[in-house]
Amino acid sequence: MDIVPLDVPGARQTVELENPQGIFYKIRVGGEVIKRTKGGWSVPLRNGSTAKIKSQGFIPGFQALYLEDKKIYDMGAGVQLPERIAIFAPLILLIWVPFGLVLGLILFFMGIPGVKNQQMPRGLRIALPLINTVAAAVILTLITGRIGIWG
């Protein structure tokens, strides 16, 4: 399990981000997972008040966490533009057959942890979603006998 400490000044206990390299993540306070309520996570402070951690970002797994208006963690910080573009390649499958969209979404979400994995060579992080897309397109073509726009 991948855990990253978050800097929350005045927090009563340690605040951590669980699974920052994946799609779904959790915020933990003192080792316990806290639930998201009213658009963010409430972290108890030593002075008796609470701080609010909020997430911003549209693409799952690439959000940034903010404490008040200060960025405290960016889940996609190490991913450059070519990798971000390549991750969308599986969505091209929606032009193959109607259920190509489902396969494209599955491959999109499966590719996010691979693209974010800094231990893999950068070329492989770019090539992997593209290779998976081509392989899926070939398989869909062989299964359905049709190419492109449901023809």
Side-chain angles (χ1 to χ4, degrees):
M1 183 170 15
D2 198 11
I3 298 173
V4 174
L6 296 176
D7 182 27
V8 180
R12 211 179 282 169
Q13 296 174 309
T14 59
V15 182
E16 303 165 319
L17 173 63
E18 182 180 312
N19 194 26
Q21 297 300 320
I23 300 169
F24 305 107
Y25 57 91
K26 298 175 184 172
I27 305 290
R28 301 181 345 167
V29 175
E32 297 292 320
V33 175
I34 59 174
K35 297 207 183 281
R36 185 177 185 155
T37 56
K38 297 182 183 174
W41 296 267
S42 296
V43 177
L45 301 177
R46 284 189 289 263
N47 65 8
S49 64
T50 59
K52 188 76 133 184
I53 296 176
K54 296 181 181 181
S55 68
Q56 289 183 353
F58 181 70
I59 301 172
F62 289 94
Q63 289 94 357
L65 296 178
Y66 288 86
L67 179 64
E68 307 311 322
D69 289 328
K70 179 185 170 208
K71 186 185 289 190
I72 58 173
Y73 195 82
D74 187 356
M75 287 180 243
V79 182
Q80 296 176 358
L81 185 60
E83 292 98 318
R84 289 177 189 253
I85 292 170
I87 195 70
F88 286 98
L91 298 181
I92 292 173
L93 295 175
L94 72 98
I95 65 172
W96 248 257
V97 291
F99 56 88
L101 176 63
V102 174
L103 183 57
L105 285 173
I106 290 169
L107 287 174
F108 171 77
F109 285 112
M110 285 177 51
I112 290 175
V115 167
K116 290 173 68 176
N117 186 351
Q118 296 296 316
Q119 295 176 345
M120 270 202 299
R122 183 167 184 239
L124 184 58
R125 288 186 284 142
I126 294 169
L128 197 57
L130 302 173
I131 293 167
N132 287 340
T133 301
V134 170
V138 168
I139 291 169
L140 288 174
T141 301
L142 292 174
I143 289 173
T144 63
R146 296 181 270 169
I147 297 177
I149 312 284
W150 308 309

